Amino acid sequence: MYAYAACEDAVLLYPLYALLFTEHGLSPAAVSSLFALWSLTAFLTEVPSGVLADLVSRRLLLVVSPLLSAAAFALWTLAPGYGTFAAGFVLWGVGGSLRSGTWQAHIHAELAVLGRADAYPRLIGRAEAVGTVSALACALAAGPVLAAGGFTAVGLASVAMPLMAAVVALALPDTRVRPLPARDHTAPDDAGEGVDEPGARQVLREGVAALRGAAPARAAVVAVAGLAAVLSLDEYLPLLIADTGLALTAVPLGYGLILAGGAVGGWLADRGTEHPGRVLAGGGCALALGAFSATPAGLVGVAVAFGVLRWAAVQADTRLQRETADSSRATVSSLAGSAAEVTSLASFGLWALGSAWAGPAVLFGCAALPIVVLAVTWRR
């Protein structure tokens, strides 16, 4: 599990693909259109992929997901251009959707088979921490690899690691027994062998019904979506770091500090679960103090805040998994993922609007307010 997370996030292109696009003549508007296509693809395929994960082998989808990512990076490397960049983002978006919800549902289901479902927050949090550290290591290595072999070397290395993730996924356990629906007694007795696989509509209905009928599950979805809205601001962290007065060459170090904070939060996801609201409120205060200070030292507070946010995201996901039946677990997780996509897009829009009046330090400081609101709601 840890090896899969490490391989999937070990992509040297992560900190460089925007530069790859501009290197081939794309304007900022064209680059933004690619990001919009990526988000739209993820949104449209999130729920269908979750339903699929409740119908077929989840391990199979975890094998296919990194293969699509590898195909995207191969297109970008071997035939760079706007059309292939767009096709790559579609492939990457679909691949990410196949993993989203499936990964969490698969881990929880396999732990439940072993009678160790209570270990879920620790394992999923540490897997995320391993992935974050892997991404950090690749970010530090991307510069030297780019200097030595250009974007071709960076791209080929980025293709290799997802392929390795697919191989690792083949070794994941797959002992889940997919439940079958009750037989349709209105059908003729000789219409087939007996019971067919549950259909997509049935699985989707079960997922929606699970949310409608369980207030704790709905609360968990709200928490997942709310936390995603704030976590999505990590796209703007380089702007905040540069706004503290650090030299451009030192920005990656500041970014690495915040990534390290997120990794620690994931690693400690099974700690402090008695008072999640208080921990989350503390994270909001740390973000406000760190961001409003607009100093390099304030980045420590921001790192603490993002560590708490990663910790809280695991708590919310754990609650959602516990409140959901396995027959529709991936579907419900994907419904939560769709809500998270919507709130993330709203955050991007609010940032664009607010940036006309305030800088990154003020905007990140204001982002502490919804964290505190979530903390109060969580306690209730």
Side-chain angles (χ1 to χ4, degrees), residues 200-248:
R201 290 183 180 180
Q202 177 183 338
V203 172
L204 182 57
R205 283 197 301 268
E206 289 179 359
V208 173
L211 291 180
R212 286 179 176 175
R218 293 196 301 272
V221 170
V222 171
V224 168
L227 291 167
V230 184
L231 283 168
S232 65
L233 296 179
D234 63 357
E235 301 290 346
Y236 302 103
L237 282 173
L239 301 179
L240 174 67
I241 297 167
D243 200 44
T244 64
L246 284 177
L248 187 61

Side-chain angles (χ1 to χ4, degrees), residues 181-191 194-196 202:
R183 183 174 179 177
D184 184 359
H185 296 289
T186 63
D189 290 338
D190 57 351
V195 183
D196 296 324
Q202 177 183 338

Side-chain angles (χ1 to χ4, degrees), residues 40-137:
L40 180 62
T41 301
F43 177 76
L44 293 177
T45 57
E46 183 73 37
V47 173
S49 66
V51 173
L52 183 63
D54 285 326
L55 292 172
V56 303
S57 166
R58 291 170 182 163
R59 181 176 63 185
L60 173 62
L61 299 188
L62 293 176
V63 172
V64 174
S65 172
L67 292 179
L68 294 178
S69 299
F73 303 148
L75 277 177
W76 293 357
T77 303
L78 302 177
Y82 184 85
T84 52
F85 293 153
F89 269 121
V90 171
L91 289 171
W92 197 5
V94 174
S97 295
L98 289 178
R99 182 188 187 278
S100 175
T102 305
W103 173 243
Q104 294 90 335
H106 180 73
I107 293 175
H108 194 282
E110 294 301 326
L111 287 173
V113 169
L114 298 173
R116 298 185 58 201
D118 58 336
Y120 175 80
R122 182 178 73 255
L123 292 180
I124 196 72
R126 292 187 175 184
E128 290 185 7
V130 169
T132 301
V133 171
S134 178
L136 174 58

